[in-house]
Amino acid sequence: MTDLAHKNLLARPTLQYLRKPNPDALSEAKRNEILADPGFGKHFTDHMVDICWSVQGGWHRPRVQPYGPISLDPAAAVLHYAQEIFEGMKAYRHADGSIWTFRPEANAERMQRSARRMALPELPTEYFIESLKELIAYDGAWVPSAPDTSLYLRPFMFAKEAFLGVRPANKVNYYVIASPAGAYFSGGLAPVKIWLSTEYARAGKGGTGAAKTGGNYASSLVAQAEAYEQGCDQVLFLDSAEDRYLEELGGMNVVLVKKNGTLITPMSDSILEGITRDSILQLAEDRGHAVERRRVSIDEWREGAASGDIVEAFACGTAAVVAPIGLLKAADFTIEHTQTSVSLSLREELTGIQYGKVADRHGWMTRLDAE
Ligand SMILES: Cc1ncc(COP(=O)(O)O)c(C=O)c1O
């Protein structure tokens, strides 16, 4: 793979989509039945986007086609070497029926960073956003309108080339699928319980922690299973070198709130940079909160909670938006918080922007359906 082809620095042609509507798309009645109680990640829309990439051809053969199985050679590199990345974002229906998404450039750029780390080709931002619009042109009716519901969008890319041998694949495919979404945690806005994993690490120095790649999630699953056994909703990982500093949850970032209103969030090069966290912290700064992005140890949290200096904690990510943390459970101690006011008020403002009820003063929203 030449550097030039990899970085897409060649002149960029407009993609000419081949559009194949699904002849077996669900009836309106069946779709509405699903939208009335979508759950999370259980149902999928009628179409998907598929774009091919090869070293010689760059991005080519873009299609919108019926949602369905992908045919893979058993030697496809992704099945053996996990060369794969993905994104997660949402489409929101506004009161006037229009369909919007939140900061798609940030997702596109994060996918480009993930691609660089995983030796995959970078999909240009305009192709990324266009792919979402193409899918919504067919599946816009799948964006629910009940409060707090959305259509979860899942762009992903993987090594499709059939070969056994450890090197970056020369053939890759990018897809977008979509799934109508209700609440992520079954308890709704009730504070969540978090299990502190001390046996397993999510990521290490120089590893892939900052990339959104399937392997990070595969390696979190035993710790997540442990969390469920402990009666918790999610797992919190510590850094792998010293086993002291907060990293993140299996699928969300974490933020602590001090009595004086300061927000603290862990920073390290092995944490996935969440777009929800970045946005929440921006809104908090707009309100006058100080924000500290730095290393933060589990002892600092524990001692701060005991002294009354740390009064609240929350998890944040696209799927659940903001979830107050009521309990952190470790093998030999617990931390409890009852305050949820800062997290719930920031959540209210962020979702207000996403659903078009609060002014979008940062220009975060992009319309996906045709005006
Ligand atoms: C490991 C991990 N950390 C953090 C996040 C939060 O990122 P975002 O706010 O962009 O959804 C996610 C979810 O997407 C995640 O999977």
Side-chain angles (χ1 to χ4, degrees):
M1 187 180 320
T2 67
D3 261 8
L4 215 53
H6 188 260
K7 289 192 172 135
N8 271 295
L9 296 177
L10 299 167
R12 200 169 286 151
T14 317
L15 292 181
Q16 298 296 335
Y17 271 79
L18 181 75
R19 301 184 179 95
K20 269 212 283 180
N22 188 342
D24 300 316
L26 276 197
S27 68
E28 190 179 344
K30 284 241 164 67
R31 186 176 63 234
N32 286 340
E33 213 175 286
I34 292 172
L35 295 187
D37 182 18
F40 197 96
K42 289 196 299 195
H43 303 281
F44 297 91
T45 64
D46 298 309
H47 297 87
M48 62 186 191
V49 165
D50 174 3
I51 312 178
C52 300
W53 180 89
S54 66
V55 170
Q56 289 80 19
W59 293 106
H60 63 278
R61 221 177 60 146
R63 281 171 293 177
V64 187
Q65 61 189 29
Y67 181 93
I70 296 171
S71 158
L72 280 187
D73 190 293
V78 65
L79 300 176
H80 306 271
Y81 312 115
Q83 197 190 4
E84 183 271 354
I85 56 175
F86 65 98
E87 270 304 322
M89 49 208 300
K90 284 174 170 173
Y92 308 89
R93 187 169 306 276
H94 286 189
D96 64 359
S98 58
I99 299 170
W100 299 74
T101 195
F102 183 72
R103 302 186 68 183
E105 319 74 29
N107 291 92
E109 285 162 19
R110 186 169 67 188
M111 194 170 209
Q112 290 155 9
R113 291 198 296 279
S114 299
R116 285 198 288 277
R117 180 63 185 83
M118 301 306 291
L120 283 162
E122 292 177 43
L123 184 75
T125 301
E126 63 264 34
Y127 287 180
F128 181 89
I129 295 176
E130 191 184 16
S131 71
L132 308 176
K133 291 182 176 172
E134 284 287 339
L135 188 61
I136 289 298
Y138 282 90
D139 286 342
W142 281 90
V143 183
S145 52
D148 290 327
T149 60
S150 59
L151 183 66
Y152 185 79
L153 303 171
R154 168 53 59 90
F156 62 105
M157 186 194 295
F158 63 84
K160 209 173 194 181
E161 186 184 355
F163 75 98
L164 296 181
V166 183
R167 61 153 171 80
N170 291 326
K171 279 191 191 149
V172 166
N173 275 58
Y174 164 84
Y175 296 86
V176 189
I177 57 173
S179 170
Y184 185 69
F185 289 120
S186 50
L189 287 185
V192 293
K193 295 180 187 150
I194 306 294
W195 168 246
L196 179 71
S197 174
T198 41
E199 187 172 353
Y200 304 105
R202 177 183 171 274
K205 188 172 177 329
T208 58
K212 206 160 168 62
T213 183
N216 291 341
Y217 299 82
S219 69
S220 77
L221 295 177
V222 278
Q224 181 64 46
E226 211 175 67
Y228 290 144
E229 274 164 31
Q230 294 290 335
C232 293
D233 307 284
Q234 276 255 341
V235 58
L236 171 67
F237 292 100
L238 297 176
D239 76 289
S240 61
E242 296 182 54
D243 225 11
R244 289 176 56 198
Y245 294 101
L246 308 188
E247 291 265 303
E248 59 182 323
L249 308 189
M252 299 174 87
N253 294 120
V254 66
V255 178
L256 308 180
V257 185
K258 289 175 76 169
K259 193 170 60 185
N260 67 4
T262 299
L263 272 61
I264 310 172
T265 195
M267 275 293 166
S268 94
D269 56 13
S270 48
I271 294 177
L272 187 83
E273 292 177 282
I275 294 154
T276 314
R277 175 177 69 164
D278 186 64
S279 312
I280 286 282
L281 295 179
Q282 177 66 60
L283 296 180
E285 282 177 322
D286 295 350
R287 291 178 182 194
H289 287 268
V291 172
E292 295 175 10
R293 300 166 175 85
R294 60 167 170 84
R295 296 222 290 185
V296 42
S297 71
I298 188 67
D299 288 341
E300 179 178 349
W301 186 1
R302 210 177 154 188
E303 286 158 17
S307 72
D309 195 36
I310 295 175
V311 289
E312 188 172 336
F314 62 88
C316 53
T318 297
V321 197
V322 171
I325 297 174
L327 175 77
L328 178 88
K329 187 174 176 189
D332 50 355
F333 66 91
T334 57
I335 299 174
E336 284 180 55
H337 290 294
T338 49
Q339 180 177 307
T340 58
S341 51
V342 174
S343 34
L344 292 186
S345 146
L346 286 166
R347 180 195 164 99
E348 180 83 13
E349 184 175 356
L350 182 64
T351 53
I353 295 168
Q354 291 169 333
Y355 287 94
K357 295 179 195 151
V358 170
D360 174 22
R361 63 181 182 278
H362 291 289
W364 282 338
M365 302 306 292
T366 292
R367 186 159 179 180
L368 290 180
D369 60 331
E371 291 180 40

